[in-house]
C-alpha cells in the first residue's frame, strides 16, 4: 500500500490549537484565518529554469498551512509544529538572516515590502503534510503561505506570478539560495488536475491537463537527506553561466543556453571544456524534452512520455551529475515494474524524490516493489506517496 496522502489539518483543529498555544491572548477560533500553499513535483524540465528554458511542474496535495490572527503591533510571532524555536520578527526592523526556518518568513516579509506590498503583524501556527528536505519545495510552500498570511487585506495585491517572483527574491537575496523561479511559480500558480508549462524567458505559462485517471502521479522519496544541496546547486548555476560566457565570445546572439539547439552541439564541443559541454548538453536537450512531453501528453502517447522521462533522468545523471545512487535505484525499480509508464528524479537532485506516472492498477505493485527492494539495498526507509495535482496557494475557506 502506498502511504496515504495525509489529510490537510482541518482549519477548525488548527484554530483550536492556536488558541491553546496562546491561553492569555483569548484567541477567538472564529477570528482565526487559515492559508495554505502546496508542494510541487516537476514532471520534466530540470535545471532549465535559471537557463531561460521550459519547465513542467505541478502543485501537489501535500501542503503547508498557517493559522493566524492579525495583530496591530507589526510583530510576527509564528510557532511551527516540529520546530523547537518560534519565528519572532519585527516588520519594521527585519534584520539579516539567522540560519533558521524563520528566515523564510523574514525573507518573505522583506521581499513583500520591497515589492510594495503592505504587510501586517500576526500570531500564528505553521503546520505541514509536506516532508522537509525531500525536494518537494517545502521552502517555497512556506514562503507562499507566509506571503498570503503577511500581506495585509484579504489577498495579496499581486497576481500569482508576481507573488512567486517576490518569494523567489526572498530565497535568492535573503535566504541566499540562487534558485530559479520554478518552485515558487508552481506553488503559487498551480491548477488542480494539471501541470503548468512555463517559459522561463517570457514567463508565459499555461495549464497542461494531466490524464490522472489513466496515469496516477506517484512520488517515491529516497529517505536520504539532500546532501550538498545548496552549494552544488549554486555550482551548477555557475557552470551554466560560464558555458554561456564562453559561447558569447563567439556568438553575440547567445544570452543564455536557451538560445542554443541540438544542432549547435558539435560546434559547442569544439569551444567548451568537457564539463561545460555536458552541462550545456543537458539543458539544451532537456528543453526539447519538455516540449516533446507536452505534445506526447496531449496526443495520449504514454510510451513516448516514458522514453522522455528516461532520457531526462539519464541526462541529469550523466551530463548534469545531480542524481544519486538512491534516485537511480528508485528509477530502476519503477522502470522494472509493469504498469509504471514513466519514472525520473524530480527537483534539484542530490537526494529527494522521484516522480512516476503509473497506471492506477499498478500503484500498489510499485509501492510493494519499492518497499521490498529499496531498504535492503540502501539501508534507508523510502516513502511512496500517490499525489494529485492541486491548486496553488490561497485562503482555506472554512465551511
Ligand atoms: C530546485 C530549484 C528550482 C530548479 C530545480 C531544478 O528545485 O529551486 O528553481 O532549478 O531545483 O530544476
Amino acid at each position: 500500500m502506498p502511504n496515504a496522502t495525509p489529510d490537510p489539518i482541518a482549519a477548525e483543529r488548527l484554530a483550536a490549537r492556536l488558541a491553546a498555544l496562546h491561553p492569555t491572548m483569548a484567541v477567538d477560533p472564529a477570528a482565526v484565518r487559515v492559508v495554505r500553499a502546496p508542494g510541487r513535483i516537476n514532471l520534466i524540465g530540470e535545471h532549465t529554469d535559471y537557463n531561460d528554458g521550459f519547465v513542467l511542474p505541478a502543485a501537489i496535495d501535500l501542503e503547508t498551512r498557517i493559522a493566524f490572527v492579525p495583530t496591530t503591533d507589526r510583530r510576527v510571532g509564528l510557532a511551527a509544529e516540529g520546530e523547537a524555536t518560534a519565528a519572532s520578527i519585527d516588520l519594521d526592523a527585519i534584520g539579516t538572516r539567522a540560519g533558521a526556518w524563520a528566515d523564510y518568513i523574514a525573507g518573505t516579509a522583506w521581499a513583500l515590502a520591497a515589492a510594495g506590498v503592505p504587510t501586517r503583524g500576526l500570531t500564528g501556527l505553521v503546520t505541514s503534510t509536506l516532508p522537509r528536505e525531500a525536494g518537494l519545495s517545502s521552502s517555497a510552500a512556506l514562503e507562499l503561505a507566509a506571503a498570503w498570511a503577511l500581506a495585509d487585506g484579504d489577498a495579496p495585491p499581486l497576481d500569482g506570478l508576481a507573488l512567486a517572483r517576490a518569494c523567489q527574491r526572498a530565497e535568492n537575496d535573503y535566504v541566499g539560495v540562487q534558485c530559479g523561479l520554478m518552485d515558487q511559480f508552481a506553488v503559487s500558480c498551480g491548477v488542480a488536475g494539471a501541470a503548468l508549462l512555463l517559459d522561463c524567458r517570457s514567463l508565459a505559462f499555461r495549464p497542461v491537463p494531466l490524464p490522472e485517471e489513466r496515469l496516477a502521479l506517484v512520488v517515491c522519496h529516497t529517505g536520504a537527506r539532500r546532501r550538498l544541496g545548496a552549494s552544488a546547486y549554486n555550482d551548477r548555476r555557475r557552470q551554466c553561466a560560464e558555458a554561456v560566457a564562453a559561447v558569447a565570445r563567439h556568438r553575440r546572439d547567445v544570452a543564455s543556453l536557451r538560445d542554443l539547439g541540438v544542432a549547435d552541439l558539435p560546434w559547442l564541443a569544439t569551444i567548451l571544456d568537457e564539463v561545460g559541454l555536458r552541462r550545456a548538453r543537458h539543458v539544451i536537450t532537456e528543453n526539447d524534452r519538455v516540449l516533446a512531453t507536452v505534445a506526447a501528453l496531449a496526443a495520449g502517447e504514454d510510451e513516448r512520455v516514458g522514453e522522455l522521462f528516461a532520457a531526462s533522468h539519464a541526462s541529469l545523471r550523466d551530463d548534469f551529475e545531480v542524481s544519486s545512487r538512491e534516485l537511480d535505484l528508485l528509477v530502476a525499480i519503477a522502470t522494472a515494474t509493469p504498469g509504471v509508464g514513466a519514472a525520473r528524479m524530480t527537483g534539484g537532485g542530490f537526494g529527494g524524490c522521484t516522480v512516476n506516472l503509473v497506471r492506477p492498477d499498478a500503484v500498489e505493485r510499485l509501492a510493494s516493489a519499492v518497499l521490498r527492494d529499496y531498504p535492503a539495498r540502501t539501508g534507508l526507509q523510502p516513502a511512496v506517496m500517490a499525489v494529485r495535482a492541486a491548486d496553488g496557494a490561497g485562503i482555506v475557506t472554512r465551511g
Side-chain angles (χ1 to χ4, degrees), residues 18 29-35 66-70 120 153-154 395-396 398:
L18 179 61
V32 173
R33 305 181 192 200
V34 183
V35 291
I66 301 179
F68 67 98
V69 279
R120 64 179 161 211
D154 287 338
I395 293 169
V396 176
R398 297 161 65 186

Side-chain angles (χ1 to χ4, degrees), residues 208-252:
V208 174
L210 290 174
E212 287 180 289
E213 66 301 332
R214 197 173 77 240
L215 289 174
L217 271 178
V218 180
V219 172
C220 297
H221 182 7
T222 54
R225 285 174 74 88
R226 294 184 62 220
R227 290 182 299 269
L228 292 174
S231 69
Y233 183 88
N234 290 347
D235 280 353
R236 294 302 182 281
R237 259 199 101 134
R238 183 179 40 76
Q239 290 164 342
C240 291
E242 284 168 2
V244 171
V247 173
R249 283 197 278 278
H250 303 266
R251 278 186 45 185
R252 293 243 210 87

Side-chain angles (χ1 to χ4, degrees), residues 40 42 45-50 137 179-183 233 347-348:
R40 67 99 189 87
N42 186 20
E46 223 64 88
H47 291 273
T48 45
D49 59 352
Y50 54 84
S137 292
C179 64
L181 182 59
M182 173 173 76
D183 301 349
Y233 183 88

Side-chain angles (χ1 to χ4, degrees), residues 75-89:
R75 297 201 66 87
V76 174
L78 269 180
E81 291 183 330
E83 295 288 350
T85 54
S88 175
I89 298 156

Side-chain angles (χ1 to χ4, degrees), residues 29-76:
V32 173
R33 305 181 192 200
V34 183
V35 291
R36 56 169 284 280
R40 67 99 189 87
I41 48 94
N42 186 20
L43 281 185
I44 195 161
E46 223 64 88
H47 291 273
T48 45
D49 59 352
Y50 54 84
N51 287 302
D52 280 353
F54 298 103
V55 292
L56 188 63
I60 56 174
D61 56 354
L62 296 168
E63 65 182 33
T64 294
R65 291 187 164 201
I66 301 179
F68 67 98
V69 279
T71 58
T72 47
D73 63 1
R74 305 280 299 150
R75 297 201 66 87
V76 174

